[in-house]
Amino acid sequence: MSAGTVPIGPTLVSALAGLTVAAAAVLWLSGIGRGRAVLTAAVRATVQLGVVSLVIVAVLRAWWSTGAFILLMYVVAGVTARRRIGPSCPRRVAPLAIAAGVVPSLVVLLASRALPATPLVVLPTAGILIGGAMTATSLAGRRALDELRTRHGEYEAGLALGLLPRDAALEICRPAAGQALIPALDQTRTVGLVTLPGAFVGVLLGGAGPLEAGATQLLILLALLAVEAVAIALALELLVRHRARTAP
């Protein structure tokens, strides 16, 4: 075992169980709820990471298997984002928003050769970008629809003033949807001061120097900003257009 790895054994199991139970207990005792969701998420993460750990070496041996795994991540992200937004979200919104953010950014990274075109590099990078797009799409879509529901009177007032349904809806939900970018903005603003993200640490552990690690992390952070900005904008536009078509 190297100095940069976590030892697998009873100590690790105890630490993981203790952290999970503590989080669930705090939520339960405070009345916030979601304690069961914490337990479920922890179990799912354990199983999923265990399976991925067993198959990842085989996946990275060829481009076709790497591409298939990336496609699987994309499908799961689209389904998850739509479920988080709610049943009123059309099926195509989340997948289109995620793809519109991830695909161009990944192409730019590879075409510019800023990112080495190897399965070992492309797979985790695609996973980071897809995960960021999924979260941004979920937050933007859910907040936008919540605003349209709770501020329906203002939406009707906009229509009464002569605004088109799309424009009236955007006036209501655009600021709330924009808040979905706050986590990515905060992470970028505080990188190196508050956190040392995974890409930075991973490159360092891989034997590269601090400057190379910093450049890699900066590339990922700025790519995430681009990915999430596109995903948020498209998700909002598609939801608003759908609302305009289906509104009575």
Side-chain angles (χ1 to χ4, degrees):
M1 181 188 68
S2 67
T5 60
V6 176
I8 298 176
T11 301
L12 176 61
V13 174
S14 299
L16 295 175
L19 291 170
T20 303
V21 171
V26 168
L27 292 173
W28 178 69
L29 293 173
S30 63
I32 296 175
R34 311 292 291 180
R36 180 175 295 180
V38 169
L39 297 176
T40 303
V43 172
R44 285 189 58 176
T46 301
V47 174
Q48 289 164 190
L49 285 175
V51 173
V52 169
S53 299
L54 294 175
V55 304
I56 196 67
V57 175
V59 167
L60 291 173
R61 287 177 180 169
W63 272 112
W64 72 266
S65 54
T66 300
F69 199 84
I70 292 174
L71 180 61
L72 174 63
M73 291 191 292
Y74 165 70
V75 171
V76 173
V79 172
T80 301
R82 180 180 182 271
R83 187 167 61 244
R84 292 290 180 264
I85 294 173
S88 59
C89 175
R91 293 183 181 275
R92 66 189 180 96
V93 170
L96 284 177
I98 293 172
V102 172
V103 173
S105 296
L106 198 56
V107 168
V108 168
L109 291 177
L110 292 173
S112 65
R113 298 185 179 181
L115 192 73
T118 64
L120 185 61
V121 175
V122 172
L123 180 60
T125 302
I128 292 172
L129 299 183
I130 292 172
M134 177 189 69
T135 301
T137 300
S138 300
L139 291 175
R142 187 160 188 164
R143 289 174 178 175
L145 293 182
D146 285 345
E147 288 291 285
L148 288 174
R149 279 192 293 268
T150 59
R151 300 171 61 187
H152 184 72
E154 296 177 50
Y155 170 75
E156 294 289 348
L159 295 179
L161 292 173
L163 293 177
L164 295 174
R166 171 188 175 274
D167 296 331
L170 283 175
E171 287 294 324
I172 297 300
C173 61
R174 185 186 281 129
Q179 294 178 9
L181 196 60
I182 289 178
L185 287 172
D186 286 345
Q187 184 182 25
T188 304
R189 289 168 177 158
T190 61
V191 65
L193 299 176
V194 178
T195 61
L196 293 176
F200 180 87
V201 177
V203 172
L204 278 180
L205 292 177
L211 290 179
E212 289 82 358
T216 301
Q217 185 60 62
L218 183 61
L219 185 68
I220 296 298
L221 288 174
L222 297 186
L224 269 175
L225 283 178
V227 165
E228 295 188 23
V230 172
I232 291 170
L234 184 57
L236 179 60
E237 183 67 27
L238 292 175
L239 286 171
V240 164
R241 288 180 179 270
H242 174 75
R243 176 67 174 78
R245 289 195 304 268
T246 58

